Amino acid sequence: MTTTNSTEQADRSALYASIFSTEEIYRPPSEKGSALLEVARGCSWAKCTFCDFIKDLYQISDMDQIEYRLKTLRQLQPDACRMFFLGQNAFCLSTEHLLAVMKRAKYYIPSLSAFSMYARIDDVLRKTPEELSLLWENGLRDLHIGIESGNDTVLNMVNKGCTAFDIRDGLSRLDKASIGYYLTIIPGLGGKAYSDLHAIDTARLLNLTHPKQIWALALKLWPDTPLAQQADRGEFQPMKPWEILLEERILLQNLTLRNTFYMDTTVLGKYTIQGRLPDQKTAMLQAIEQLLAL
Ligand code: SF4
């Protein structure tokens, strides 16, 4: 009996692995329960100086691959309600293509009622208000967007390819289309030189938006990235973990969001601070004070 179960489990695992082109699968923590459909690989921009994904080849899956993956997902997760499209900025795909994939996904798994994916802000800005509404009508519910900073100098320095104005504009278009968004920011991204400005301007920008969640991920210098090379040459001064925590305190102090979940899973490299804004802002700031006192 045990042998049969383990064989079945191994078969399911092999089947599951067959629908991904790489072993490493990147999806946000909040998409844990979602069916994962690879629609693209890598990032179409691939120029941010801090990003480890810039080395990956950018590829769009063809419809034959998508059909196979959907048929397989139907076997593995026949009752899935939510589907996450894999790809570092899957939202760069044309509206027509995204709608076609959503339609096929609902054909194979009729219980699906919500779709989500990673996006860059320029992917949002390239779509018309009518396209965004159409995508919402067909089930697009959330986008996961790394805005990283609200400070234009920092955004320019890391070659993000957008400004704070673009970010505000793109998120406001999503608000109008009722498409939700989860944002990622990077404490420490401005280095020592821009720490305060990065914190204050990021809070200022976030206060003009309506994210479901903010995920703060302290800067990690990935080997061989342009930013790591700049740090090696002394052109970028990385911050120590406790300095990043001081920066995060400024950010949190300045946030006035009314209904957003905030989390940082990278505090001092080993702690998590999380809570709903505004109710748990004081508790999160107290936790930071306690950590700083250690
Ligand atoms: S847009 Fe995102 S995935 Fe693409 S290079 Fe920049 S940080 Fe990396």
Side-chain angles (χ1 to χ4, degrees):
M1 185 67 181
T2 307
T3 308
T4 308
N5 283 345
S6 350
T7 309
E8 279 172 12
Q9 187 55 42
D11 288 348
R12 276 179 75 84
S13 300
L15 198 56
Y16 193 60
S18 75
I19 62 173
F20 304 111
S21 61
T22 56
E23 282 183 15
E24 287 173 301
I25 297 163
Y26 297 98
R27 54 129 184 98
S30 58
E31 300 289 349
K32 190 170 174 220
S34 304
L36 304 177
L37 176 68
E38 185 178 321
V39 298
R41 239 183 95 182
C43 168
S44 66
W45 172 252
K47 293 178 192 164
C48 300
T49 60
F50 58 88
C51 180
D52 194 38
F53 294 119
I54 57 176
K55 61 180 174 3
D56 296 341
L57 187 68
Y58 175 65
Q59 275 182 332
I60 299 171
S61 308
D62 63 38
M63 276 316 252
D64 286 345
Q65 290 171 313
I66 286 174
E67 288 277 334
Y68 167 76
R69 289 167 187 157
L70 285 171
K71 281 181 199 165
T72 308
L73 280 170
R74 177 174 60 182
Q75 281 177 262
L76 297 168
Q77 292 171 270
D79 303 319
C81 300
R82 187 175 171 97
M83 177 170 276
F84 181 77
F85 288 173
L86 293 171
Q88 292 316 316
N89 66 327
F91 203 55
C92 74
L93 297 172
S94 71
T95 300
E96 191 185 12
H97 187 83
L98 289 171
L99 289 172
V101 177
M102 287 173 176
K103 191 172 170 191
R104 292 312 284 161
K106 283 188 269 191
Y107 169 78
Y108 284 110
I109 308 177
S111 52
L112 281 174
S113 60
F115 296 91
S116 57
M117 67 199 85
Y118 287 122
R120 278 179 50 82
I121 217 68
D122 54 357
D123 301 331
V124 176
L125 294 174
R126 268 194 305 275
K127 291 182 169 46
T128 64
E130 292 73 25
E131 288 179 298
L132 293 174
S133 295
L134 191 57
L135 285 160
W136 185 85
E137 281 163 25
N138 282 274
L140 175 63
R141 289 294 174 266
D142 295 301
L143 293 176
H144 296 262
I145 305 175
I147 65 162
E148 333 304 8
S149 177
N151 178 271
D152 279 340
T153 304
V154 174
L155 289 168
N156 187 41
M157 193 173 76
V158 300
N159 207 17
K160 187 67 196 176
C162 65
T163 63
F165 179 85
D166 294 333
I167 296 169
R168 186 181 172 190
D169 187 14
L171 298 181
S172 145
R173 292 185 195 198
L174 293 180
D175 286 336
K176 286 188 186 121
S178 301
I179 296 170
Y181 46 89
Y182 292 64
L183 303 179
T184 306
I185 57 170
I186 307 182
L189 189 63
K192 291 188 187 182
Y194 294 100
S195 178
D196 287 2
L197 280 175
H198 174 44
I200 290 166
D201 286 348
T202 302
R204 189 176 289 155
L205 173 62
L206 288 169
N207 289 340
L208 300 170
T209 68
H210 307 89
K212 287 185 175 175
Q213 178 184 289
I214 297 166
W215 187 15
L217 283 171
L219 177 67
K220 178 174 166 64
L221 283 178
W222 296 96
D224 301 324
T225 54
L227 193 60
Q229 289 162 357
Q230 285 171 11
D232 287 344
R233 294 194 298 267
E235 296 164 9
F236 175 78
Q237 284 185 293
M239 297 164 68
K240 296 188 170 56
W242 66 269
E243 291 175 317
I244 292 180
L245 195 53
L246 284 172
E247 180 185 295
E248 193 165 7
R249 182 171 68 178
I250 298 174
L251 173 91
L252 263 174
Q253 283 167 340
N254 283 278
L255 281 179
T256 57
L257 286 161
R258 303 306 304 164
N259 187 20
T260 296
F261 190 77
Y262 179 93
M263 70 173 184
D264 182 343
T265 50
T266 56
V267 177
L268 299 179
K270 56 180 171 179
Y271 301 107
T272 291
I273 287 178
Q274 60 181 31
R276 184 153 289 281
L277 295 168
D279 298 354
Q280 291 170 305
K281 173 172 161 171
T282 305
M284 286 192 278
L285 283 168
Q286 283 169 351
I288 287 178
E289 294 304 331
Q290 285 167 6
L291 289 172
L292 286 170
L294 285 179

